Amino acid sequence: MSPSREFFWRRTAMEFDKLNVTLLQRMSATFAEGNRAYLVLQKKLLREAETEWERRHIRRLVAHHILSFAHFKARTWAEYHGALLRVRRLGYPSLEYRMHAACETLEWAADHDPTKAQLGWAMVEDAERRLRRMRRGHHVRKQALAAIASVKQRVSRKGLTPPITPGTQ
């Protein structure tokens, strides 16, 4: 990677961090305000991107940041679902992002709308299945499966259990 692109990606990470801190410090920030702020940042970063891959990756990163913000600030399923659909449409940059989105969806459903938990459980199951395909000693596999187990435990304490499918009895 050329030094200029390396600098671009470092600066991009710092821009995301700065915006995350700003939005999370403003307790009164609504989901709509956060969504707009991330889209403004996306527009700025897209102007500086040089390749189609960089543009697609920026869109994916922004979508995941919006989903994470929605996890904290979305009050309705329409808000959260819109962010989730954007992530699903653009794709996941890595398996870790897929796991993160699945866990956030399950936790959001447990906290706000238990009727949507089935989608969260399905996403978690999919991410877990993909993680189990990784080499057993891989650090990402270990950490991600531990994170999923932790989320399942927290959600189960709230009274949500995975749906029973014909093969898991």
Side-chain angles (χ1 to χ4, degrees):
M1 183 183 303
S2 72
S4 66
R5 297 325 295 159
E6 192 173 326
F7 178 73
F8 168 74
W9 286 108
R10 271 197 213 131
R11 202 175 80 251
T12 297
M14 288 180 5
E15 293 280 341
F16 276 120
D17 289 345
K18 192 166 51 173
L19 181 56
N20 289 337
V21 169
T22 301
L23 289 172
L24 291 175
Q25 282 179 341
R26 286 184 44 218
M27 297 302 287
S28 63
T30 65
F31 171 72
E33 292 169 345
N35 192 24
R36 274 193 303 277
Y38 281 113
L39 293 177
V40 167
L41 177 60
Q42 174 179 295
K43 191 173 183 178
K44 176 187 171 206
L45 294 173
L46 288 175
R47 280 194 300 267
E48 300 172 24
E50 291 181 354
T51 65
E52 184 56 36
W53 181 89
E54 286 182 343
R55 285 185 279 282
R56 187 173 38 249
H57 193 65
I58 288 168
R59 285 186 187 101
R60 286 177 175 168
L61 291 175
V62 167
H64 280 279
H65 280 276
I66 290 172
L67 183 65
S68 291
F69 190 69
H71 174 69
F72 293 109
K73 294 292 187 168
R75 297 284 177 229
T76 66
W77 175 246
E79 289 177 338
Y80 188 84
H81 193 238
L84 181 60
L85 287 177
R86 174 183 279 141
V87 166
R88 291 177 120 181
R89 179 175 44 86
L90 293 171
Y92 303 94
S94 71
L95 189 49
E96 292 169 283
Y97 279 93
R98 181 182 293 270
M99 180 273 307
H100 192 253
C103 290
E104 283 183 336
T105 300
L106 184 58
E107 286 184 320
W108 189 91
D111 292 338
H112 295 90
D113 189 355
T115 64
K116 307 301 183 199
Q118 188 170 355
L119 172 64
W121 284 114
M123 289 176 68
V124 165
E125 184 179 301
D126 177 57
E128 200 170 16
R129 186 177 62 253
R130 290 170 188 265
L131 285 164
R132 291 194 189 286
R133 290 186 198 143
M134 294 177 82
R135 184 174 40 84
R136 282 193 188 270
H138 199 282
H139 70 280
V140 169
R141 180 182 191 220
K142 287 179 181 177
Q143 291 173 350
L145 289 175
I148 287 175
S150 175
V151 167
K152 283 180 168 182
Q153 190 178 39
R154 282 195 308 271
V155 169
S156 293
R157 273 189 249 136
K158 293 177 182 177
L160 290 179
T161 57
I164 298 174
T165 56
T168 61
Q169 292 180 353

